[in-house]
């Protein structure tokens, strides 16, 4: 008798937990280097910055509900020759990513480097659940399921506000300017919907391929992944699995091992990435593929992944759906409430590509139409520009940086301290 789908899932979970483990031990770095892993794939944010001549700081942020988040800062870009501009810039990563995603394509293309080089005080936070933000003042992620009881609402309601308040208090600024990619765009909208006082703390929100609903997602692998987590959420919980796709887990370890090889990275790994998103020949360098899989996937909660499964079949941008009975207890309504986009009064710029299979143009245009104060909806000129290009393309400097720089400049001024 062949195993059922549920049996296969349970076998995967056991292997994931007990064979491959959840944490990448630091003492394995030298061994991995000997086995041909690229150095950059084994370095963290501050180490990557140092390697390329940038000075980075590490900060800890505590949210209102007790999560301890790691945030990084580049105070001055290596190529910045003038005074630092105000306000600070917050650069927020996407789903299953971390702040390292802004570094993986190197100093010539990574947006953390490029924005810092434009003389902005650059801050790169990490939301709860990825490998930089797996701490809590009371809860142990290895023992307490409550640690993993979060999805996109908590990112927007707690994590981004805590990061903004920390930056404002630390720098004595009145506002920040915000750049958010994919999930980092959707959670920005959630924040300003659920906590409208934060509209006044942001000069401009620059949303790169922002997520919301995912009705028209063309990625079949993403649909399969989201549907799997949504349908099997009770199975994950019953078997004690609350964390999804962690660094050091089965998927990440296998991918980084296979893709450390240049030829396999350029063929097999490039093909798999194109199945997740779309194909854009020549955009992502093979070396970048070898590096990024040392940091991706970065981990999140299974509840977050289930939320994305729900978003594939929703026609609105809404909160987590627990089912009618539980929804009545949590929200007071049988249906989960939609996020109120009319409360998002901060000026917004939307930048996206026509070849994005994850946040499709139809869904991006839909959410853009719901936002009251859109300064510009900008399509990247390259017709093949896709989702992963934002973080990993070698062409970010010419494809999206000019538009980002244009609006940062409009909402910035030279610091009086310089």
């Amino acid at each position: 008798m062949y195993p059922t789908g549920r049996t296969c899932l349970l076998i995967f979970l056991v292997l994931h937990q007990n064979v491959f483990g959840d944490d990448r031990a630091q003492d394995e770095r030298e061994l991995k280097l000997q086995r041909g892993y690229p150095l950059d794939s084994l370095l963290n944010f501050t180490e990557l910055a140092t390697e390329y001549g940038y000075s980075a700081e590490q900060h800890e942020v505590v949210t209102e509900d007790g999560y301890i988040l790691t945030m990084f800062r580049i105070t001055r870009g290596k190529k910045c020759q003038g005074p630092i501009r105000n306000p600070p810039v917050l650069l927020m990563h996407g789903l299953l990513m971390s702040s390292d995603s802004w570094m993986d394509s190197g100093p010539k293309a990574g947006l953390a480097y490029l924005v810092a080089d434009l003389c902005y005080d650059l801050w790169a936070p990490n939301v709860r659940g990825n490998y930089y933000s797996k701490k809590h003042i009371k809860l142990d992620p290895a023992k307490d399921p409550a640690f993993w009881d979060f999805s996109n609402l908590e990112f927007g309601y707690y994590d981004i506000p805590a990061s903004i308040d920390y930056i404002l208090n630390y720098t004595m600024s009145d506002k920040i300017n915000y750049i958010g990619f994919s999930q980092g765009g959707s959670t920005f909208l959630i924040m300003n919907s659920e906590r409208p006082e934060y509209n006044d703390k942001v000069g401009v929100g620059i949303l790169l391929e922002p997520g919301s609903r995912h009705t028209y997602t063309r990625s079949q692998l993403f649909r399969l992944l989201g549907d799997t987590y949504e349908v099997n959420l009770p199975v994950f919980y019953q078997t004690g699995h609350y964390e999804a796709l962690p660094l050091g887990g089965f998927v990440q370890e296998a991918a980084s091992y296979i893709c450390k090889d240049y030829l396999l990275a350029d063929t097999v790994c490039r093909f798999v990435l194109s199945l997740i998103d779309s194909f854009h020949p020549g955009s992502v360098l093979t070396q970048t593929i070898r590096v990024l899989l040392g940091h991706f996937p970065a981990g999140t909660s299974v509840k977050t992944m289930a939320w994305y499964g729900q978003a594939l079949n929703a026609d609105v941008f809404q909160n987590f759906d627990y089912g009618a009975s539980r929804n009545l207890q949590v929200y007071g309504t049988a249906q989960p409430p939609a996020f109120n986009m009319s409360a998002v009064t901060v000026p917004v710029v939307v930048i996206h590509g026509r070849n994005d299979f994850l946040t499709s143009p139809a869904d991006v245009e839909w959410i853009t139409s719901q936002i009251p104060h859109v300064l510009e909806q900008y399509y990247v000129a390259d017709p093949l520009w896709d989702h992963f290009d934002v973080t990993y393309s070698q062409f970010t400097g010419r494809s999206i940086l000019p538009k980002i720089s244009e609006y940062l400049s409009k909402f910035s001024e030279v610091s009086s301290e310089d």
Side-chain angles (χ1 to χ4, degrees), residues 68-88:
I68 302 172
L69 315 176
T70 299
M71 180 160 55
F72 297 99
R73 181 192 193 192
I74 299 177
T75 55
R76 176 181 288 273
K78 182 179 177 180
K79 296 181 180 180
C80 170
Q81 301 299 319
I84 298 298
R85 300 178 66 84
N86 276 330

Side-chain angles (χ1 to χ4, degrees), residues 103-119:
M103 316 279 275
D104 285 334
S105 57
K108 294 181 179 180
L111 278 179
Y113 299 111
L114 297 179
V115 174
D117 282 341
L118 293 174
C119 293

